[in-house]
Amino acid sequence: ALEFGGDVNRPRQLLREGRDYLLELVNVRAAEAAQRVQNRVAAMRGDASPRQVSKIIREEMTNAYDDAKAVEKTLWDSLDGNVETSLDNTKAALNAELIRRGQFSDPNEIPGWLRGAIIGDPEKPISFNDVKELRTRVNTLRREIKGTPGHNRNAVRILNDIDAALLDDMAASGVDGAEAARAYSANMNDRFNRGPVGKMLELDRTGMPKVPEEITLNSAVFSKDPGGSIRAILRAEPDTRGDIVKGVLRYYSEAVWSNNKWSKNASNAFIEKMNKGGVFDEVPELRDQLARAHIAGERGDRAVMRATNENRMARDGGKARAALFLDAEPGEEMGAILHSKNPSLAARSVYKRMRGDE
């Protein structure tokens, strides 16, 4: 204390300030280690949130569907619409459905106007354009039914069968180019009107999406068959691939980070879910991206653990020699140093710390 003008409290103050500085430095290092890991994952996933990525994917799918419909219309409109055509396939589909129906089947599932149009007037010829217009009405009715909450799925199935039969009749008409147009329409229906993508693009009666666009990717990744759902999205619009990768990495980040702490168990669980769900089969590059994120998380976790151990050591009176002085009762400081395991080393260390040499 003589080195500090006889002030016995000055050494204690200097040591405490030094230890506080050390603890602050350790905590900063731990926070920096965690932040570096989060930055690595952020660089891989991009800046967009899952909701923003979902909106981008929905927009890309909707644009692809609009483009496909425009191509389909061009294909059908370019054909000779005056050629006489039969409805043999459509009549067969209707008769097969009528035979299956029981006395309590819902009569509204097959509207009277549709039965009449298909059965038709034997004396009145039907043109290719007539069949095309009938198919337009069938598709309009199907969209209206699907847009109704709790819609009649059997009615939709019947209209799907009728639509397919109408396409067969148009292809069998002999009109040049009809077969190619039919193949395109069938492919478009599979890509956009059925399965997971069909559900995502469905509109209700007000014209609003039944699946909100901001959860487009969520509804695929966390569905019962995430691999199949992603496959359907990629088939509808391959350009969504990069956005799917970014979105899944975002979901990973949200799953494994909590209060600035990375969870190894959560990381393993997420990667296993993606693997079992078949996501890696559809987007193989995700396996590597998530593995890299997991490794970065483990490294950051080890860095945080090292910083935490240093923190404990700095606080442990049995390990930090300066703590011998700090933790002693006022007036008992020298006694604590003299009763330590190595009094000479402890005294020199405390003296150097008080002088600011270490």
Side-chain angles (χ1 to χ4, degrees):
L2 295 176
E3 291 285 338
F4 301 96
D7 184 357
V8 295
N9 292 319
R10 182 58 178 162
R12 180 182 293 273
Q13 179 185 352
L14 291 174
L15 282 175
R16 191 172 300 281
E17 289 175 355
R19 188 172 71 172
D20 288 346
Y21 172 77
L22 173 63
L23 294 176
E24 182 181 358
L25 183 62
V26 167
N27 289 332
V28 168
R29 287 174 58 188
E32 288 177 344
Q35 188 61 49
R36 281 196 299 272
V37 179
Q38 293 193 63
N39 290 342
R40 290 193 194 104
V41 177
M44 287 189 281
R45 75 191 181 203
D47 295 328
S49 69
R51 294 170 70 89
Q52 291 170 325
V53 171
S54 285
K55 287 183 177 181
I56 292 170
I57 291 174
R58 176 67 67 86
E59 182 179 350
E60 290 173 334
M61 286 196 300
T62 300
N63 290 340
Y65 185 34
D66 290 341
D67 291 343
K69 286 189 293 185
V71 172
E72 182 193 37
K73 186 176 186 305
T74 300
L75 286 173
W76 288 114
D77 288 349
S78 66
L79 305 180
D80 185 355
N82 297 318
V83 175
E84 187 173 330
T85 308
S86 75
L87 286 176
D88 292 344
N89 290 295
T90 308
K91 289 177 181 177
L94 175 62
N95 289 333
E97 180 60 37
L98 293 175
I99 291 172
R100 285 195 296 266
R101 297 177 71 76
Q103 60 176 322
F104 299 115
S105 297
D106 186 350
N108 294 321
E109 289 177 345
I110 307 178
W113 67 263
L114 182 57
R115 293 192 193 202
I118 294 173
I119 296 172
D121 183 351
E123 303 299 324
K124 187 176 181 180
I126 184 169
S127 71
F128 188 86
N129 273 344
D130 291 332
V131 180
K132 190 167 65 173
E133 289 175 3
L134 178 57
R135 181 171 178 257
T136 297
R137 288 193 66 183
V138 167
N139 285 330
T140 299
L141 176 60
R142 179 174 56 187
R143 283 194 297 271
E144 290 175 353
I145 293 174
K146 291 177 74 174
T148 304
H151 66 261
N152 187 326
R153 296 182 183 275
N154 194 50
V156 173
R157 177 193 62 78
I158 293 171
L159 293 174
N160 283 339
D161 292 343
I162 296 296
D163 178 55
L166 287 168
L167 283 174
D168 289 340
D169 283 327
M170 295 168 80
S173 65
V175 173
D176 187 30
E179 182 59 43
R182 173 197 168 280
Y184 185 89
S185 292
N187 178 268
M188 188 185 76
N189 282 336
D190 287 340
R191 290 170 60 200
F192 296 103
N193 293 327
R194 300 191 177 103
V197 171
K199 292 179 181 178
M200 292 175 193
L201 296 180
E202 276 184 19
L203 303 178
D204 60 24
R205 285 194 161 183
T206 66
M208 296 299 293
K210 296 180 76 172
V211 176
E213 60 180 14
E214 61 269 20
I215 64 168
T216 298
L217 186 58
N218 182 290
S219 67
V221 173
F222 300 107
S223 66
K224 293 181 179 179
D225 181 17
S229 297
I230 289 176
R231 185 189 316 121
I233 293 175
L234 290 173
R235 186 174 178 227
E237 178 47 87
D239 287 345
T240 58
R241 189 178 203 88
D243 294 314
I244 289 173
V245 171
K246 292 177 183 177
V248 172
L249 286 172
R250 272 285 182 178
Y251 287 135
Y252 169 83
S253 182
E254 291 180 352
V256 303
W257 285 95
S258 178
N259 297 324
N260 212 34
K261 182 174 175 57
W262 180 81
S263 169
K264 182 176 182 178
N265 289 338
S267 178
N268 285 330
F270 186 94
I271 293 173
E272 181 64 14
K273 179 178 176 64
M274 295 299 101
N275 183 42
K276 286 186 175 180
V279 173
F280 297 151
D281 294 335
E282 307 307 323
V283 193
E285 59 267 37
L286 257 176
R287 188 194 303 274
D288 178 61
Q289 295 265 32
L290 289 174
R292 285 161 53 195
H294 182 87
I295 291 171
E298 285 188 321
R299 289 173 177 170
D301 204 33
R302 287 194 292 269
V304 172
M305 289 179 64
R306 284 196 300 270
T308 301
N309 288 335
E310 291 175 8
N311 189 311
R312 289 200 189 103
M313 291 180 67
R315 291 182 180 277
D316 191 338
K319 294 179 181 178
R321 287 185 289 271
L324 292 170
F325 192 93
L326 285 171
D327 294 338
E329 293 293 329
E332 302 295 330
E333 294 90 346
M334 291 306 300
I337 292 175
L338 291 174
H339 288 90
S340 66
K341 289 183 179 181
N342 193 330
S344 176
L345 180 61
R348 283 199 302 271
S349 177
V350 169
Y351 180 73
K352 288 181 179 180
R353 286 178 182 272
M354 288 188 296
R355 291 293 302 269
D357 296 336
E358 65 174 53

